[in-house]
Amino acid sequence: EQKLDELSRKLGVQEDELKRAIERAELAEKNLKSIEDELQMVGENMKQLELSAEKAVEREEKLKDKILQIQQKYKAAEGRFEYGEMNITKLNQRIDDIEDEIYREKLKIKRCADELGETFDDMLAHY
């Protein structure tokens, strides 16, 4: 009878240990499932991040190309500006030269008019 009680007690202890082991196993399965779900979400997030990174690299390349094009356009515009500035300087010089020439021609015309006036005055005075 004592053996039976001892075996009965051992059986009870074993049953309690089995219950705890089952509970721990169920808890571990829940944790495993949670970790698997989280891992799947992390994987999906990684895919999204990779796509975003690829798009960012493509966009960066496009922007670098655009910057180079703008720099080239700027250099060309700067060259045209300098050429235009040079032309303006030459044209202003040419305008100054023509104005000087016009002034000299006006002086010649005034001298001729004065001489003609004197000639007419002489003619009127002598004839």
Side-chain angles (χ1 to χ4, degrees), residues 58-71:
E58 288 174 10
R59 187 165 182 246
E60 182 182 7
E61 289 301 318
K62 286 180 184 176
L63 290 174
K64 283 181 180 179
D65 289 343
K66 194 170 187 176
I67 287 170
L68 286 175
Q69 289 174 355
I70 289 172
Q71 285 175 336

Side-chain angles (χ1 to χ4, degrees), residues 14-68:
Q14 290 291 327
E15 285 176 347
D16 287 344
E17 285 181 15
L18 178 62
K19 278 184 185 177
R20 284 193 301 269
I22 290 172
E23 287 173 359
R24 285 194 313 265
E26 287 173 353
L27 183 61
E29 285 176 354
K30 286 179 186 176
N31 285 342
L32 180 62
K33 176 68 174 150
S34 173
I35 290 171
E36 286 174 345
D37 291 344
E38 191 174 329
L39 183 60
Q40 184 178 357
M41 286 174 48
V42 167
E44 290 172 8
N45 287 344
M46 287 292 289
K47 286 179 186 176
Q48 291 295 327
L49 287 173
E50 286 174 2
L51 288 175
S52 294
E54 287 174 12
K55 288 180 183 177
V57 166
E58 288 174 10
R59 187 165 182 246
E60 182 182 7
E61 289 301 318
K62 286 180 184 176
L63 290 174
K64 283 181 180 179
D65 289 343
K66 194 170 187 176
I67 287 170
L68 286 175

